[in-house]
Amino acid sequence: VSEASHTCADAHRDSLSQGEAADLVTQLSPTPKTKPDVVDFGTVFTDHMLTVEWNANEGWQSPLIRPFGNLSLHPACSALHYGVQLFEGLKVYRGNDGRLRLFRPILNMSRMAKSAERACLPAFDQSELLECIRRLIEIDQDWVPHSDSAGLYIRPTFIGTEPSLGVRKPAHALLYVILCHAGSYFDTEVRALSLWADPKYTRAWKGGTGDCKMGGNYGGTLFAQYEAGSCGCQQVLWLYGEDHQITEAGTMNIFLHWINEDGDEELATPPLDGIILPGVTRLSILELTKKWEEVKVSERYVTMGQLCSALQQQRLMEMFGSGTACRICPVGSVVYQGKHLELPCQEKHSLSSRIATELADIQVSRLTRARTIATSTF
């Protein structure tokens, strides 16, 4: 954990003279869009996008910032047929001082590089990509809301563009970045989510790609998501194994604040064992709460049986999810094996609300203590 924020331009100045960012080409849009006040998550995009092409013979081409628009892809593109693709998600916030801050972007670049290796897509210079993203944000900075609670969502995407139906490592690829209004991630006015837990569906498995941010991990969950909706729930609580281990909730990492079996007050989240996505918000929560030294903080397996016992014995204080898009989201109920489990959910004076406030302070640099986790400022 860094003790201070750092400035993007300073962090990358030495590498620009030899890297792709120094060759960046910019084409500004002649017709800027009107910025709406309220939109759903991921439906309204900014004026520009970043694209960088790669091929095995020539390597990475010069990055291009151009007006936002459609891509042209070969019908046999490997991303379309075999899911050779991945993405990232992070946000840029406007601080009280008017400066823009990216929340821990190096962690997103590192996770994206890991996903690219798993997808057999080419390696890229993480600092160079981050510098290109910074320049894209500078161009579209008027889209970043003047708000303590909202940011502009950044979606780096990496796809195989091999124009062949052969199942092989692509010799052509495209990396692009788009920006959009964040809006409300969940289509609901209710703060606490209702979750549907059914072991017949599995989000990820040992030896799979559950710890990488690949599109297939999400597209494959839609059927279960709609079944959850038919049961009156908003999201799926993903279970794993014969003992029904709790893994993730929808697209979020999951946390339980409870008195554990040994009588200790504990904040617990499933360990990174290959089926859990290593969330940036998840890591930040672990680092913050460990620093507070007020509760036991654990990465441990928790089963539905243990959750039910904690509820019956009134040992559960709260359950909540975390993620870049949703930040912190309390869980109010779980439907499991025909039972509707009501969970304690306090909007104020809870550990999750304190965590949410602390993270928001960091993201907009509201307080001095916001410097306990690194942000990139420009």
Side-chain angles (χ1 to χ4, degrees), residues 1 17 46-47 64 86 111 128 137-138 155 191-192 236 247 257 262 282 322 341 349 351 362:
V1 179
S17 61
T46 65
D47 294 309
L64 171 65
L86 57 97
R111 187 171 65 181
E128 294 294 335
I137 295 169
E138 282 185 332
R155 173 56 67 90
R191 273 189 51 81
V236 177
T247 62
H257 180 206
D262 299 323
R282 172 190 182 275
S322 71
L341 308 176
H349 311 300
L351 183 61
I362 293 167

Side-chain angles (χ1 to χ4, degrees), residues 228-242:
S230 68
C231 295
C233 297
Q234 296 156 304
Q235 292 289 323
V236 177
L237 180 61
W238 298 101
L239 308 179
Y240 181 79
E242 295 183 358

Side-chain angles (χ1 to χ4, degrees), residues 118-155:
R118 187 67 168 84
C120 291
L121 286 167
F124 58 91
D125 188 306
Q126 298 176 34
S127 63
E128 294 294 335
L129 175 58
L130 185 53
E131 173 62 19
C132 290
I133 292 174
R134 186 187 70 83
R135 295 194 188 185
L136 175 63
I137 295 169
E138 282 185 332
I139 291 173
D140 280 348
Q141 62 181 287
D142 288 346
W143 286 80
V144 183
H146 293 262
S147 169
D148 288 348
S149 60
L152 186 69
Y153 187 76
I154 306 165
R155 173 56 67 90

Side-chain angles (χ1 to χ4, degrees), residues 323-364:
T324 297
C326 66
R327 288 190 174 183
I328 304 294
C329 187
V331 177
S333 63
V334 177
V335 173
Y336 173 65
Q337 292 185 334
K339 297 180 181 179
H340 188 93
L341 308 176
E342 289 291 339
L343 277 57
C345 187
Q346 302 177 11
E347 292 191 11
K348 296 181 179 180
H349 311 300
S350 64
L351 183 61
S352 65
S353 64
R354 180 182 172 189
I355 292 169
T357 300
E358 189 84 2
L359 288 176
D361 288 347
I362 293 167
Q363 289 160 346
V364 300

